[in-house]
Amino acid sequence: MILEKLCEFAETVEDFPPPHFKKRSIDYLIEINEEGELLGFTDVSDEGKIFIYADHLIGRTSQVKPHLLTDKASYVFGNVENEQLTNRQEETKAAFYDLVLELYEETGEQVIYSILKFLENTQGKDYLETDLKNNKWLAFRVNGKDPLKIDSIQKFWQKRQNNIAKEERSDLISECLICHQEKVIADRDPEQFKLISVGGQSGGSSLISANHKSFESYGLSASHISSICFDCAIQYGMAANYLIAKKDHRLKIGDILYIFWTKNNSEFNGFQLLEKPKPNELRNFLKSFKSGKKAYIDDEEFYCLALSANNSRAVVKDWINTTVSNVEKNINNYFREMNLDDNKSEEYYSIFKLAKSTAFISKKNNNIKPVVIKSIVNYAIKGTALVDSVLLNIINRIKADVEFRVTRPRASLLKMYFNSHPEGGIKVKDKLSKKENNPAYLCGRLFSILELIQDKAISANTKIVDRYYGTASSAPASVFGNLIRKAQHHLAKLRKEQSTTGMYYWLQSELEDIMVELNDFPATLSLKEQGLFALGYYQQKAYRPEKDEKEEN
């Protein structure tokens, strides 16, 4: 399914070179006319132009093996630096000419006849620029036209490469799993995935390959374990590398690279907001969802492939197949769930920032768990519930982070977690819910009030949140009795001072409202209850009674 969809995508990209062709920069264009006469050499080395050239299915390494119509000067002319040609230079020049002659005999194209006449008449150094070197890449242009763009010439090279595969790699001919034709099966990935950003080798990483007996089956080794022909292998490799190279089609989170595309390669920028949610673009996206004004087809298929690398191996982490409409709806929900009434400016977070909030990040280490990244991405794209590992990592990070504890990104992620599990019967609202009587939530609220009482009464270097948060959020019964007794002394101080009397009555009222709902302090709290404790603590800290009263009136 994955490789088939990549091959389908390759057919929609107009800029792709045809099978068995690649793109590269060229140093000089040899300009000739129909009579094979030299018009001049055009230096294109600094123009940044990219030209297609015929690539060998099996690399030439040290062999004498010319490319079709585009090659180094040492192949086209033999030697442009000295008068005499070595034996190898004689071979390379003859091989290049023979290949052009074979092409003309097969296609009969007039432009190839013109190139043949040029090669037969030229004496090399008489026609060349003095600064041309043997390692410079040259290509022909006949009356301003690129012969490699002619359909018959492309088919000649593709047919030739497939014949070479049958002759030199004829050990396995079978039905290709993608195109369903009887062809030579690739024994290696001809187009390796460029995954340097996530730990891959500079030369590329193979998606399909077996390098150990335990991975082989039915006597098949290397890429023969998957029956895919060379043409299809080239297509899906080019498609993947195209998506990897395009900013509009990739999203890197930690050590995982997500590439995404639509069936018809239509424009969809909603996914980019998950990487960098720019306020203006996000606002327009959310408005377009609400109004229904979109520039794409809702039911068009949407694909997302998650990749990482283990040196020379490409690793598939996840595969998502849905529709643009579903993705749009889920991304909208992802950002809507970040709404928190906490007296702070409206802020939205990328997937990486949410995942980052669950881990300790240093200059040397990135401890974000892949399962956390994968779950948040699936939530944002597919709308699937966040896994318990996300909750576990949030709770552990809150307990370890003595300085910040429950930050806004962590509170947003906790809200997402609980609201993605409606079967739990817990619906977390944007602001404090005084009707929520869950003991864990109430304990979180109570802890926030006790912290505020201490803060208003005395100036302490070490606050109760620094010393007691971990125990209070996991075993409330063991600490709350002592904390409440201490709070009574602080409340008495607030009551006696005229400047804080009003604060005393409000804190006493909040304390009583919570204690009325709490029949007893739980001995222990489960992982989910610890998450509710954190939300109760955060929302109580963010509570603004004056705004609440205004809304009620």
Side-chain angles (χ1 to χ4, degrees), residues 22-27 49-53 70 137:
K22 284 188 177 180
K23 291 188 173 185
R24 64 162 297 132
S25 57
I26 301 295
D27 297 304
K49 291 183 179 179
I50 303 297
F51 301 83
I52 64 169
Y53 82 104
T70 302
W137 278 79

Side-chain angles (χ1 to χ4, degrees), residues 116-160:
L116 276 175
K117 287 181 67 177
F118 169 78
L119 293 174
E120 291 169 356
N121 295 332
T122 184
Q123 296 301 313
K125 203 142 183 87
D126 296 340
Y127 294 90
L128 302 178
E129 300 285 346
T130 56
D131 61 343
L132 194 63
K133 303 297 182 183
N134 285 332
N135 63 348
K136 296 295 183 180
W137 278 79
L138 311 178
F140 284 94
R141 195 153 61 178
V142 182
N143 283 341
K145 296 181 179 179
D146 183 355
L148 285 179
K149 292 184 177 180
I150 298 174
D151 189 56
S152 61
I153 294 175
Q154 292 179 359
K155 288 182 177 179
F156 161 82
W157 185 253
Q158 291 163 352
K159 179 182 177 182
R160 194 173 193 273

Side-chain angles (χ1 to χ4, degrees), residues 111 137 146 222 260 284 337 344 371 379 392 397 400 429 434 479 523 536 539:
V111 292
W137 278 79
D146 183 355
F260 52 93
N284 291 336
E337 284 293 347
K344 296 180 181 178
V371 65
Y379 172 79
L392 174 63
R397 191 70 193 102
K429 298 180 179 179
K434 291 198 171 186
V479 295
Q539 292 188 328

Side-chain angles (χ1 to χ4, degrees), residues 54-335:
D55 187 38
H56 286 287
L57 187 62
I58 305 168
R60 65 186 179 192
T61 59
S62 61
Q63 305 172 59
V64 175
K65 188 183 290 187
H67 292 286
L68 186 67
L69 303 180
T70 302
D71 215 319
K72 292 182 178 180
S74 58
Y75 267 86
V76 180
F77 297 114
N79 191 348
V80 297
E81 298 176 16
N82 296 297
E83 295 290 342
Q84 299 296 322
L85 274 65
T86 64
N87 291 337
R88 180 176 176 81
Q89 289 168 345
E90 291 280 5
E91 288 182 44
T92 56
K93 181 179 179 182
F96 187 87
Y97 176 86
D98 290 343
L99 180 58
V100 177
L101 179 61
E102 182 185 344
L103 173 62
Y104 176 68
E105 292 173 347
E106 180 77 21
T107 64
E109 291 287 349
Q110 176 61 40
V111 292
I112 306 304
Y113 180 71
S114 302
I115 295 172
L116 276 175
K117 287 181 67 177
F118 169 78
L119 293 174
E120 291 169 356
N121 295 332
T122 184
Q123 296 301 313
K125 203 142 183 87
D126 296 340
Y127 294 90
L128 302 178
E129 300 285 346
T130 56
D131 61 343
L132 194 63
K133 303 297 182 183
N134 285 332
N135 63 348
K136 296 295 183 180
W137 278 79
L138 311 178
F140 284 94
R141 195 153 61 178
V142 182
N143 283 341
K145 296 181 179 179
D146 183 355
L148 285 179
K149 292 184 177 180
I150 298 174
D151 189 56
S152 61
I153 294 175
Q154 292 179 359
K155 288 182 177 179
F156 161 82
W157 185 253
Q158 291 163 352
K159 179 182 177 182
R160 194 173 193 273
Q161 293 306 299
N162 285 323
N163 288 337
I164 289 173
K166 290 179 181 178
E167 293 171 5
E168 299 188 25
R169 302 183 178 226
S170 59
D171 51 339
L172 183 58
I173 298 177
S174 181
E175 180 183 338
C176 174
L177 293 173
I178 297 177
C179 66
H180 306 293
Q181 297 180 28
E182 288 283 332
K183 288 186 177 181
V184 177
I185 300 305
D187 62 344
R188 58 177 175 79
D189 273 345
E191 282 282 337
Q192 298 195 329
F193 288 18
K194 307 299 182 183
L195 296 170
I196 301 175
S197 63
V198 287
Q201 291 183 342
S202 58
S205 303
S206 298
L207 181 66
I208 302 173
S209 183
N211 64 338
H212 196 277
K213 289 289 184 183
S214 59
F215 305 128
E216 298 174 1
S217 58
Y218 300 101
L220 302 177
S221 60
S223 293
H224 282 159
I225 59 172
S226 183
S227 182
I228 298 174
C229 70
F230 279 103
D231 289 346
C232 290
I234 291 171
Q235 286 290 86
Y236 76 67
M238 284 197 306
N241 287 327
Y242 173 87
L243 294 167
I244 290 169
K246 292 286 186 179
K247 287 185 178 181
D248 294 340
H249 288 277
R250 71 170 188 255
L251 173 63
K252 182 180 179 295
I253 307 174
D255 294 328
I256 300 179
L257 183 69
Y258 290 85
I259 57 175
F260 52 93
W261 67 99
T262 59
K263 184 175 182 179
N264 298 312
N265 196 14
S266 59
E267 181 182 350
F268 177 72
N269 63 351
F271 203 80
Q272 290 299 312
L273 295 172
L274 299 175
E275 182 177 21
K276 293 180 180 179
K278 297 177 181 179
N280 290 337
E281 294 179 9
L282 180 58
R283 195 176 297 112
N284 291 336
F285 175 81
L286 297 178
K287 283 182 179 178
S288 68
F289 176 81
K290 190 174 182 179
S291 63
K293 296 178 180 179
K294 309 149 194 170
Y296 39 82
I297 304 171
D298 277 353
D299 58 357
E300 182 171 356
E301 290 190 57
F302 180 94
Y303 311 109
C304 181
L305 176 61
L307 296 165
S308 66
N310 182 7
N311 293 323
S312 62
R313 303 275 180 243
V315 182
V316 174
K317 290 289 187 178
D318 200 8
W319 165 247
I320 299 171
N321 183 359
T322 181
T323 64
V324 172
S325 176
N326 285 335
V327 174
E328 180 193 51
K329 178 182 69 176
N330 294 324
I331 291 177
N332 177 77
N333 182 65
Y334 167 83
F335 287 111

